[in-house]
């Protein structure tokens, strides 16, 4: 019977996480009981990271779009200050607490606890005094007892995007770090020019899948007009997103086909936030339905739990299966080794230690291949990197050539203004061109890393087969354990209907792909989605970050240094426009030369490429060494024990059997969870679906051969 798992709601997701962490806690005790020190330590690390696991949702948009009102509607009460004027001037985080208060974190590193009714004094522009204070604040965390945040969801209110450049930068800084974003658009001015440019020029292609676009301020239009506005916004967003994705990935690429299928129709929902807030505070369910707010809340819940949260569940379930398997493998070795004659054991002990050394040599050889793959990616990117600055400069020159001017622009007090306007257009064009190049580079790195992890499946097969070979060295199949049945039967039950059975239960045999890289489809599958890539990196603490940061690093090298402080030669007032543009180009080229000298973009990309591949090596090293060290330490402990006594006691045998039965049950349950989760992942990841089908075919063929 298919295992039922409820993770489509906040409550169900929280319950499932709780059940999986409880199972991990049980495996931690079992691993400590049989002295699997490294497995136990790995479980502790996973539990520690899972303990602080929560969702973060940022509310973004232009000022006066009703962002704070929408947040208050989500929370069901007036928590954040809202006003007809641009209000929010800092990042305001709302998190759950039974005691309401605000913790203000200042840019100088200091912090202060204040009463919640004084929040607007610190985070708004409603008065000149509060605006001055807000400029010193890095973030304000509002601790409040709300039903929404009780679901382990933090809400982040951001400053208006086009309020001023500083506030826009504050908002942009948080976007790469959050799980989902709600982009608020006004129905009164749907999809303004700024919103269009922001989506095209600021948002990364990979961000769109985790955004819900909310068209706010409904209630002043007819139902037909509301529907038309939403559909217009949806069509425009879809057009802009797909056009950009074509440029980044290539229209005929497999990556674009996957992206197009995954993103599909952008999530655009029309709501009336103010009406929803009124309905919630008054308990008017009919008014709440009229506001269409429940549809938005359901979409956000699905986005967080079924799309983002499934990765957390996958990692936890995978850890249970991996750790439980290692416990079972160790118990089999202990029981069989303790029933062996000393001479036989020592012979196999020496062979096993030699095999462990061979596995490590095999791993070192594989790491050389990973380094070679990283070098190849970097060399393949060389043409793009070599032309990076000339490409950006070309964009600047195009702006100058196409800049419309007239004789009036050369009047006494106007030329400086014209130069400043032209400089801003150049800067904007540079950023757009730089972002496109960086996203293309990012996409190339992602593809290469994904391809390398697919190639590593062969190494993973060899690794687990080698570990299983060590276990087989100590097999005593003709001997029966003291409780009258082979321990193999207990362990074999863990694989359920797949019928692999026997003492050779392992990661591959239990049908789990990519075990060394933490997921059912390995890092190859993870890199196919934004959520998985970002969360995988943060959860496991991979070094170097993800290529998504490349764009931000490149911008730091361009936007931060390009200025409009060009000297305007007075003699140009009397010259023709083409001479002015020639002079302007010379100034721009000179500054580009200085920027190129001060910003080694090639080195930035090189570090990014190698840190991505080093992350794969780090994860493989970590996971394989957990298994190898525990295997060797188990053998060493058995060696010491064999020197003390020639056979295992009845009590010790019974203890091992109890541990094995418990671990088998936990592995079986976790494997059932994985099967359910894989169905969800395969919907969003064709490669995972292909892997799962191949895996199922292999299992079916194996079962048929066994029957024959």
């Amino acid at each position: 019977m298919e295992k039922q798992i409820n993770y489509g709601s906040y409550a169900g997701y929280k319950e499932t996480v709780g059940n999986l962490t409880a199972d991990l806690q049980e495996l931690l005790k079992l691993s400590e009981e049989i002295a699997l020190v490294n497995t136990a330590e790995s479980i502790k690390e996973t539990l520690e990271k899972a303990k602080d696991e929560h969702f973060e949702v940022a509310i973004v948009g232009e000022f006066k779009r009703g962002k704070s009102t929408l947040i208050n509607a989500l929370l069901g009460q007036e928590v954040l200050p809202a006003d007809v004027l641009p209000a929010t001037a800092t990042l305001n985080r709302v998190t759950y607490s039974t005691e309401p208060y605000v913790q203000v974190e200042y840019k100088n590193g200091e912090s202060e606890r204040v009463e919640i009714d004084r929040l607007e004094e610190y985070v708004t522009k409603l008065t000149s005094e509060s605006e001055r204070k807000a400029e010193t604040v890095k973030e304000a965390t509002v601790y409040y007892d709300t039903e929404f945040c009780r679901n382990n969801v933090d809400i982040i209110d951001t400053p208006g995007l086009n309020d001023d450049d500083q506030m826009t930068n504050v908002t942009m800084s948080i976007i790469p770090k959050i799980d989902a974003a709600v982009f608020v658009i006004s129905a009164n001015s749907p999809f303004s020019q700024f919103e269009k440019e922001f989506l095209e020029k600021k948002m990364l292609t990979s961000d769109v899948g985790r955004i819900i676009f909310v068209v706010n301020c409904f209630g002043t239009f007819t139902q037909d007009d509301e529907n038309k506005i939403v559909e217009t916004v949806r069509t425009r967003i879809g057009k802009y997103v797909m056009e950009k994705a074509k440029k980044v990935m290539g229209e005929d690429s497999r990556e674009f086909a996957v992206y197009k299928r995954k993103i599909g129709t952008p999530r655009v929902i029309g709501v009336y936030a103010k009406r929803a807030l009124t309905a919630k505070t008054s308990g008017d369910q009919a008014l709440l339905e009229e506001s269409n707010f429940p549809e938005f809340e359901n979409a956000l819940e699905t986005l967080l739990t079924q799309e983002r949260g499934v990765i957390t569940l996958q990692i936890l379930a995978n850890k249970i299966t991996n750790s439980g398997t290692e416990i079972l493998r160790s118990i089999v070795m202990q029981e069989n080794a303790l029933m062996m004659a000393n001479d036989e054991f020592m012979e196999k002990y020496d062979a096993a230690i030699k095999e462990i050394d061979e596995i490590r040599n095999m791993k070192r050889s594989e790491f050389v291949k990973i380094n070679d793959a990283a070098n190849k990616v970097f060399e393949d990117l060389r043409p793009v990197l070599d032309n990076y600055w000339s490409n950006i400069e070309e964009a600047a020159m195009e702006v100058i050539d196409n800049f419309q001017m007239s004789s009036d622009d050369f009047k006494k007090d106007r030329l400086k203004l014209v130069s400043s306007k032209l400089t801003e257009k150049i800067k904007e064009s540079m950023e757009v061109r730089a972002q496109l190049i960086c996203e293309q580079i990012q996409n190339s790195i992602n593809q290469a890393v994904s391809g390398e992890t697919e190639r590593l499946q062969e190494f993973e097969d060899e690794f687990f087969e080698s570990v299983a070979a060590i276990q087989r060295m100590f097999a005593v199949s003709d001997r029966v354990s003291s409780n009258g049945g082979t321990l193999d039967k207990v362990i074999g039950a863990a694989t359920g209907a797949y019928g692999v059975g026997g003492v050779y239960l392992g990661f591959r045999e239990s049908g789990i792909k990519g075990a060394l890289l933490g997921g059912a489809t390995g890092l190859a599958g993870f890199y196919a989605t934004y959520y998985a890539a970002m969360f995988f990196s943060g959860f496991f603490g991979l070094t170097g970050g993800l290529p998504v940061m490349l764009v931000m690093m490149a911008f730091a090298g361009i936007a931060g240094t390009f200025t409009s402080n060009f000297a305007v030669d007075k003699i140009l007032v009397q010259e023709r426009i083409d001479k002015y543009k020639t002079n302007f180009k010379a100034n721009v080229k000179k500054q580009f030369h200085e920027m190129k000298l001060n910003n080694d973009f090639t080195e930035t990309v090189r570090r990014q490429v190698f840190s991505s591949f080093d992350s794969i090596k780090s994860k493989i090293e970590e996971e394989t060494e957990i298994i190898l060290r525990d295997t060797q330490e188990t053998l060493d402990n058995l060696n010491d024990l064999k020197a003390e006594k020639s056979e295992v006691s009845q009590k010790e045998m019974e203890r091992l059997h109890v541990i094995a039965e418990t671990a088998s049950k936990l592995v079986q349950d976790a494997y059932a969870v994985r099967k359910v989760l894989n169905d969800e992942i395969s919907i969003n990841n064709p490669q995972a679906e292909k892997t799962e089908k191949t895996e199922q075919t292999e299992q079916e063929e194996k079962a048929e051969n066994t029957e024959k």
Side-chain angles (χ1 to χ4, degrees):
M1 182 178 177
E2 186 79 8
K3 186 177 181 68
Q4 298 298 312
I5 304 170
N6 176 19
Y7 60 95
S9 65
Y10 293 122
Y13 172 79
K14 191 174 180 180
E15 179 184 0
T16 304
V17 169
N19 292 338
L20 291 173
T21 52
D23 286 352
L24 265 179
Q25 290 280 6
E26 184 67 23
L27 284 176
L28 175 59
K29 294 176 185 176
L30 298 181
S31 60
E32 290 174 338
E33 279 190 47
I34 59 173
L36 289 180
V37 178
N38 299 287
T39 296
E41 193 60 36
S42 178
I43 294 174
K44 286 179 184 176
E45 290 176 7
T46 302
L47 286 169
E48 188 63 29
K49 289 167 183 173
K51 183 175 65 176
D52 299 325
E53 164 67 357
H54 65 282
F55 299 123
E56 294 188 338
V57 180
I59 312 299
V60 301
E62 291 189 79
F63 68 83
K64 294 196 296 184
R65 292 307 191 251
K67 298 191 302 295
S68 298
T69 302
L70 184 132
I71 292 175
N72 288 331
L74 272 172
L75 301 176
Q77 51 195 304
E78 292 272 6
V79 178
L80 296 182
D83 198 271
V84 294
L85 298 173
T88 305
T90 67
L91 290 176
N92 301 326
R93 179 186 299 269
V94 183
T95 192
Y96 178 74
S97 173
T98 54
E99 179 187 4
Y101 67 95
V102 177
Q103 192 72 31
V104 179
E105 182 183 348
Y106 294 97
K107 293 176 181 177
N108 63 6
E110 297 178 359
S111 64
E112 177 185 4
R113 176 167 168 162
V114 300
E115 295 301 316
I116 200 163
D117 57 4
R118 296 182 58 204
L119 176 63
E120 68 179 36
E121 298 175 22
Y122 292 80
V123 301
T124 71
K125 292 184 175 183
L126 298 179
T127 67
S128 58
E129 184 179 350
S130 67
E131 184 173 1
R132 282 195 301 271
K133 185 168 286 187
E135 289 177 356
T136 68
V137 174
K138 179 181 178 183
E139 182 175 316
T141 301
V142 180
Y143 293 87
Y144 212 81
D145 185 358
T146 68
E147 186 65 32
F148 187 80
C149 293
R150 191 178 288 134
N151 296 309
N152 288 345
V153 183
D154 281 6
I155 296 291
I156 302 172
D157 188 17
T158 64
L161 287 173
N162 62 343
D163 191 359
D164 59 51
D165 288 341
Q166 183 180 349
M167 294 299 97
T168 298
N169 291 336
V170 169
T171 299
M172 290 304 299
S173 69
I174 198 68
I175 287 178
K177 306 172 186 176
I178 49 91
D179 298 302
V182 178
F183 196 112
V184 184
I185 299 170
S186 173
N188 295 311
S189 55
F191 223 66
S192 68
Q193 182 64 25
F194 180 87
E195 289 165 338
K196 171 183 177 294
E197 291 178 357
F198 181 82
L199 186 63
E200 289 181 323
K201 300 172 183 177
K202 296 291 186 182
M203 296 296 286
L204 302 182
T205 306
S206 56
D207 287 333
V208 179
R210 61 196 174 98
I211 299 177
I212 296 177
F213 296 89
V214 171
V215 183
N216 194 19
C217 302
F218 269 26
T220 57
F221 302 94
T222 65
Q223 185 66 53
D224 286 344
D225 286 342
E226 291 175 355
N227 293 337
K228 288 178 182 177
I229 291 171
V230 169
E231 188 56 38
T232 298
V233 171
R234 182 181 293 116
T235 301
R236 287 182 181 177
I237 292 173
K239 176 184 176 183
Y240 300 143
V241 167
M242 289 306 163
E243 286 300 316
K244 184 173 182 181
K246 288 178 185 177
K247 295 177 182 177
V248 171
M249 303 173 188
E251 186 173 1
D252 298 326
S253 69
R254 186 186 110 181
E255 287 70 32
F256 177 71
V258 172
Y259 181 85
K260 186 176 181 180
R261 189 187 63 81
K262 271 190 59 189
I263 298 300
T265 304
R267 299 177 179 90
V268 181
I269 302 171
V271 302
Y272 194 176
K274 195 168 185 178
R275 182 174 292 176
L277 177 59
T278 301
K280 287 192 176 184
T281 53
S282 63
D284 190 335
Q285 188 60 37
L287 186 63
L288 183 63
E289 292 296 330
E290 288 178 16
S291 72
N292 204 40
F293 211 74
E295 180 184 345
F296 159 61
E297 291 178 304
N298 291 336
L300 180 59
E301 188 171 22
T302 299
L303 179 63
L304 292 176
T305 61
Q306 293 188 16
E307 297 183 35
R308 155 62 177 80
V310 70
I311 306 300
T312 303
L313 301 180
Q314 185 188 26
I315 289 173
L316 292 173
N318 193 64
K319 194 64 180 178
I320 293 170
T321 312
N322 295 1
S323 302
T325 298
E326 196 55 34
I327 290 171
L328 294 171
R329 182 184 289 123
S330 178
I331 290 175
V332 170
M333 288 179 61
Q334 288 186 54
E335 183 187 52
N336 289 346
L338 289 171
M339 290 192 292
M340 283 181 181
N342 284 4
D343 290 345
E344 182 185 3
F345 171 79
M346 284 307 302
E347 180 183 345
K348 294 184 176 182
Y349 170 85
D350 291 338
I353 296 300
K354 183 178 180 182
E355 181 64 24
I356 289 174
D357 289 339
E358 288 298 321
I359 293 174
R360 288 195 169 110
N361 287 332
M362 177 178 69
K363 181 173 60 178
R364 282 190 283 270
S365 298
E366 205 62 38
F367 282 0
V368 171
K369 295 178 183 178
I370 295 175
N371 288 339
D372 290 342
N375 279 310
K376 184 179 185 307
V377 173
F378 182 64
E379 288 305 315
D380 288 346
L381 288 171
R382 274 284 188 183
V384 177
L385 301 177
D386 291 343
N387 293 320
Y388 174 73
W389 286 106
S390 60
N391 203 325
I392 302 298
E393 185 177 313
E394 180 182 289
M397 296 302 108
E398 288 175 0
V399 170
I400 297 173
D401 287 336
N402 296 324
F403 189 69
Q404 297 297 313
M405 297 182 68
S406 67
S407 57
D408 289 342
D409 292 331
F410 293 94
K411 292 180 179 179
K412 184 176 179 182
D413 296 326
R414 186 169 171 79
L415 190 57
K416 198 167 186 178
L417 182 64
V418 170
S419 297
S420 179
K421 182 179 179 181
L422 176 55
T423 300
E424 286 304 308
K425 284 186 173 294
I426 291 172
K427 185 176 177 180
E428 181 182 302
S429 178
M430 286 163 52
E431 289 183 352
V432 172
R433 184 70 62 90
Q435 176 163 324
L436 178 60
I437 295 171
C438 288
E439 288 200 64
Q440 289 171 340
I441 292 173
Q442 168 192 319
N443 185 59
S444 296
I445 296 173
N446 284 354
Q447 289 182 48
V449 170
S450 180
E452 185 64 7
T453 55
E454 289 179 18
R455 186 194 65 77
L456 283 167
Q457 293 298 320
E458 183 178 345
F459 162 72
E460 184 174 296
D461 287 340
E462 293 178 12
F463 173 80
F464 287 119
E465 175 55 35
S466 297
V467 172
I470 294 175
Q471 184 178 309
R472 287 196 294 270
M473 292 178 187
F474 296 89
V476 281
S477 57
D478 57 329
R479 297 172 186 171
V480 178
S481 62
S482 54
N483 70 348
T486 62
L487 192 60
D488 293 4
K489 290 182 180 179
V490 177
I491 297 173
T495 56
Y498 281 83
V500 178
V503 298
Y504 311 126
L505 173 70
F507 299 94
R508 298 293 291 171
E509 285 81 354
S510 62
I512 296 177
K513 301 285 187 181
L516 294 180
L517 290 168
T521 55
L523 195 58
F526 279 132
Y527 264 89
T529 67
Y530 170 88
Y531 295 108
M534 288 297 290
F535 184 66
F536 185 82
S537 177
F539 196 94
F540 287 114
L542 300 185
T543 59
L546 287 166
V548 72
M549 304 306 293
L550 195 60
V551 175
M552 299 184 69
M553 288 188 285
F555 279 2
I558 294 178
T561 56
F562 192 78
T563 68
S564 60
N565 297 324
F566 293 137
V568 181
D569 194 338
K570 291 182 180 179
I571 197 171
L572 291 178
V573 176
Q574 306 299 320
E575 302 293 331
R576 297 178 60 82
I577 291 174
D578 57 346
K579 187 172 182 180
Y580 168 80
K581 289 187 175 182
T582 299
N583 184 281
F584 205 97
K585 283 183 178 181
N587 280 302
V588 171
K589 286 178 179 290
K590 181 180 178 182
Q591 194 167 125
F592 261 100
H593 179 69
E594 293 173 358
M595 289 165 59
K596 185 176 180 180
L597 292 177
N598 295 325
N599 297 280
D600 192 344
F601 183 68
T602 297
E603 176 59 21
T604 298
V605 173
R606 190 197 67 79
R607 288 197 303 267
Q608 196 62 39
V609 169
F610 282 91
S611 67
S612 297
F613 282 86
D614 284 345
S615 294
I616 301 176
K617 292 193 296 184
S618 296
K619 192 58 189 167
I620 289 177
E621 175 70 13
E622 176 188 341
E623 294 300 318
T624 56
E625 282 304 307
I626 288 170
I627 296 169
L628 294 178
R629 284 198 298 267
D630 273 343
T631 300
Q632 184 160 350
E633 288 169 17
T634 297
L635 291 170
D636 291 341
N637 291 336
L638 285 169
N639 190 25
D640 294 339
L641 191 60
K642 292 290 285 186
E644 296 174 10
K645 54 187 178 180
S646 59
E647 59 182 33
V648 64
S649 66
Q650 173 71 20
K651 186 175 181 180
E652 175 65 10
M653 191 68 75
E654 291 174 353
R655 183 181 78 89
L656 291 176
H657 277 236
V658 170
I659 293 173
E661 288 174 351
T662 304
S664 292
K665 178 64 169 62
L666 295 173
V667 171
Q668 188 174 15
D669 287 346
Y671 181 64
V673 170
R674 292 304 302 271
K675 293 297 293 178
V676 174
L677 296 178
N678 285 348
D679 291 340
E680 178 67 32
I681 291 175
S682 66
I683 294 174
N684 296 315
N685 182 5
Q687 184 60 37
E689 186 175 15
K690 177 183 176 183
T691 302
E692 186 69 16
K693 288 179 178 178
T694 302
E695 181 179 287
Q696 185 175 354
T697 301
E698 291 173 353
Q699 295 287 1
E700 290 172 351
E701 290 176 355
K702 186 182 291 186
E704 290 177 6
N705 292 333
T706 301
E707 290 175 4
K708 292 178 181 178

